[in-house]
Amino acid sequence: MTSFKTLQRLAKKLRSPTGCTWDRSRTIEDMAESMEEEAEEIQEAFKKKDWKNLREELGDVLFNIVLTSQIAEEEGKFTMKDVLKDIDEKIRSRHTWVFGKDKANTPEEALEMWNRNKKAQKEESQAEG
């Protein structure tokens, strides 16, 4: 069974001296274009309701995320562990009706609270730096 760790090992191998010269040559900046292309392919799969292709494209985006994080780690910018920690914290902090004391009884109320929490976090982040 393939795991997330397996994908991380795959990216590390591709970037290694015994891996792929093309993958080794990739930079974080290069990955932006790859991510954009994959996002467009995901949108197309959604529009066509092509679930088999959507599954494939989601995998492509996931691997692009893993590969980008591998490059960033090599450059001392951040690690996949950092990415996972940040998204965990963000999702929990924005779902205050699930992980906090707020109440949301409808999807609309949940979306309103999400947007309110997101705005407050953005303002707090801008004030800090």
Side-chain angles (χ1 to χ4, degrees):
M1 177 176 174
T2 301
S3 69
F4 193 75
K5 282 284 185 201
T6 301
L7 291 179
Q8 288 180 286
R9 285 191 294 271
L10 180 60
K12 192 171 189 169
K13 172 64 177 172
L14 290 171
R15 297 272 305 165
S16 76
T18 59
C20 172
T21 58
W22 184 76
D23 285 306
R24 269 196 317 273
S25 73
R26 306 297 305 269
T27 66
I28 288 180
E29 293 77 17
D30 295 333
M31 298 308 295
E33 186 176 326
S34 293
M35 291 292 277
E36 186 175 344
E37 289 171 8
E38 296 302 340
E40 289 171 3
E41 291 173 3
I42 284 175
Q43 288 297 321
E44 192 63 30
F46 271 122
K47 287 177 188 173
K48 292 181 177 178
K49 296 185 180 193
D50 184 345
W51 310 127
K52 184 178 180 193
N53 185 244
L54 177 61
R55 177 177 149 181
E56 176 185 341
E57 299 305 336
L58 288 171
D60 291 347
V61 167
L62 179 59
F63 190 71
N64 271 276
I65 292 167
V66 171
L67 187 58
T68 302
S69 295
Q70 176 63 35
I71 296 167
E73 183 172 349
E74 292 167 10
E75 295 178 359
K77 291 179 172 44
F78 58 84
T79 67
M80 178 56 76
K81 187 176 181 178
D82 297 327
V83 172
L84 295 173
K85 178 182 172 283
D86 290 352
I87 191 60
D88 179 71
E89 289 175 1
K90 179 190 283 187
I91 296 301
R92 290 175 188 279
S93 70
R94 291 194 183 164
H95 283 87
T96 54
W97 59 99
V98 176
F99 302 105
K101 295 182 180 184
D102 290 334
K103 300 287 182 222
N105 297 314
T106 67
E108 294 79 15
E109 289 175 350
L111 181 59
E112 183 180 323
M113 272 188 244
W114 171 275
N115 288 329
R116 183 192 71 214
N117 293 338
K118 179 179 178 179
K119 181 180 179 193
Q121 287 173 349
K122 295 280 184 186
E123 289 171 355
E124 182 180 314
S125 178
Q126 289 174 349
E128 289 175 356

